[in-house]
Amino acid sequence: MRNVGPNSFTEVYFPGCNPSFVETKDGILMIDTPQNAIDAVRWREMLMERSKGRIRYLVNTEPHGDHIFGNCFFKDVPVVGHRLLQECFVEYTDAVGPVGKGMEARIEFARKTDPDSVFLLMHPDYQPYHGPTTIFEDRMTIELGKHTFHLLHTPGHTLPQIAVFVPEEGVVFCGDTVFCKCKTWLQDADPWLWLKALQTINALDVETIVPGHGEPCSKDYLQHQQQIIEDWLGIVEEWVRRGLSEEEALAEIELVRPVDPWPPGQRFLRSVDEINKISIRNLYRRVVDRNASRLEPIHTLGEAIGEIQGR
């Protein structure tokens, strides 16, 4: 565990994301949960002891399973997230790697990768769906004790992506907007929004960034993260410009290997090339769609006038 602020902590070696928390005079605010059930239960026991049972809020930064799978072990804690997270929470909770969907798939996956968690996943006290009960659109502020938590919508890695800025701690918990010295995942990413999200994080008055994966870092690392996304985007845009199909682009996978040389973080089981393939498929389709939207014909005189006036 890392002490990233006077009262702020994050765990960087669990499988999955970096679950974090801030201690205040009025209890604890959590950011994300451990992916594996056994880790989530141990995390809960530790937080309950530290806070004397006062875990006041759980904030989810995004919908991917490594951030939300542990929610069900905090069923009495109010969950805060973006409106879009509430809309897709069940869908993402049911999505489990290559083995299928639903709780049965999660149990089968745990039998192979995390047998200590199987009992907990089958336990009737823990239902899989404990999603956001408090939602927001652009910004939201939570005051707890003498701390202020600014929740900011920072879409990019996913559309419901948010960051949690705590000025009293000089810390921002930005989720997967930053992967610090580990493989960047772009499987759901809108790269253009992601680059804007990095600008939002860079404008904050913070000393420490807690990424979704990897070690805490300073704002100096944001330039490196930006370069990875820009390089990915440049390669895929060039493939589309050359007229390559999606499958032909996948055949040139060796071109993206140098773009992001970091290994997959925190016990991810997929190979680098598997991660690259899902990123290529997503970015290829987004670039094609973006190019197509720019070429849509204007069908009416009114649309033509509106287009001219909008320039």
Side-chain angles (χ1 to χ4, degrees):
M1 188 182 294
R2 298 286 186 272
N3 188 181
V4 293
N7 307 280
S8 302
F9 302 85
T10 190
E11 171 57 64
V12 300
Y13 288 137
F14 280 154
C17 77
N18 293 338
S20 307
F21 68 94
V22 179
E23 293 179 316
T24 80
K25 291 185 178 299
D26 196 23
I28 278 177
L29 182 141
M30 298 171 49
I31 300 99
D32 291 329
T33 54
Q35 171 178 307
N36 288 356
I38 191 67
D39 292 331
V41 170
R42 289 169 176 161
W43 184 254
R44 184 192 66 194
E45 291 173 351
M46 180 268 293
L47 292 185
M48 291 289 284
E49 182 177 354
R50 292 183 72 108
S51 69
K52 296 180 174 58
R54 296 184 303 161
I55 305 175
R56 301 294 302 279
Y57 297 99
L58 163 57
V59 177
N60 284 140
T61 62
E62 64 159 271
H64 288 151
D66 57 315
H67 298 254
I68 65 173
F69 277 176
N71 278 27
C72 61
F73 302 103
F74 296 86
K75 61 183 180 179
D76 297 325
V77 179
V79 180
V80 183
H82 193 268
R83 174 185 57 81
L84 295 174
L85 174 63
Q86 186 183 61
E87 293 177 2
C88 68
F89 188 87
V90 171
E91 175 188 355
Y92 275 89
T93 302
D94 282 348
V96 185
V99 295
K101 291 188 175 182
M103 182 53 73
E104 289 302 318
R106 285 185 65 189
I107 292 171
E108 183 59 28
F109 191 64
R111 291 188 197 280
K112 300 175 182 178
T113 63
D114 181 31
D116 289 340
S117 290
V118 172
F119 166 76
L120 292 165
L121 290 174
M122 298 176 69
H123 201 288
D125 282 352
Y126 305 118
Q127 299 303 311
Y129 308 116
H130 181 44
T133 52
T134 299
I135 59 175
F136 68 100
E137 288 286 344
D138 183 44
R139 293 172 179 253
M140 177 180 176
T141 298
I142 296 174
E143 294 183 355
L144 190 61
K146 295 184 177 180
H147 284 74
T148 308
F149 299 86
H150 299 289
L151 280 53
L152 314 173
H153 187 209
T154 52
H157 174 70
T158 66
L159 287 180
Q161 202 77 29
I162 68 170
V164 182
F165 169 42
V166 193
E168 294 86 356
E169 299 288 306
V171 173
V172 60
F173 301 88
C174 69
D176 288 6
T177 298
V178 175
F179 289 76
C180 185
K181 297 186 179 180
C182 59
K183 184 70 177 170
T184 295
W185 290 58
L186 300 100
Q187 75 273 37
D188 285 336
D190 180 319
W192 302 280
L193 288 178
W194 197 334
L195 293 171
K196 292 181 179 178
L198 290 171
Q199 294 175 4
T200 298
I201 300 299
N202 192 46
L204 299 175
D205 183 14
V206 296
E207 297 179 5
T208 304
I209 293 172
V210 178
H213 300 273
E215 296 279 351
C217 58
S218 69
K219 289 201 287 187
D220 292 342
Y221 192 79
L222 296 178
Q223 180 62 43
H224 184 73
Q225 183 67 76
Q226 175 183 328
Q227 193 65 55
I228 288 173
I229 297 166
E230 289 177 344
D231 289 348
W232 259 105
L233 187 55
I235 289 173
V236 175
E237 286 177 333
E238 176 61 16
W239 286 338
V240 173
R241 189 194 65 78
R242 288 166 49 197
L244 270 63
S245 69
E246 186 176 319
E247 295 306 315
E248 289 170 334
L250 287 168
E252 298 198 12
I253 193 171
E254 72 278 356
L255 294 179
V256 300
R257 290 176 186 143
V259 166
D260 182 5
W262 304 109
Q266 288 151 294
R267 304 185 215 174
F268 281 123
L269 302 179
R270 291 183 176 182
S271 69
V272 169
D273 275 352
E274 284 184 290
I275 301 170
N276 284 340
K277 285 179 182 179
I278 61 175
S279 295
I280 288 171
R281 289 191 183 279
N282 174 57
L283 293 183
Y284 181 91
R285 294 169 189 178
R286 288 186 182 273
V287 170
V288 169
D289 288 347
R290 187 179 176 92
N291 289 350
S293 68
R294 292 172 175 172
L295 298 175
E296 289 179 357
I298 297 172
H299 298 291
T300 69
L301 178 60
E303 288 176 340
I305 294 173
E307 178 71 14
I308 293 170
Q309 290 177 339
R311 289 176 182 171

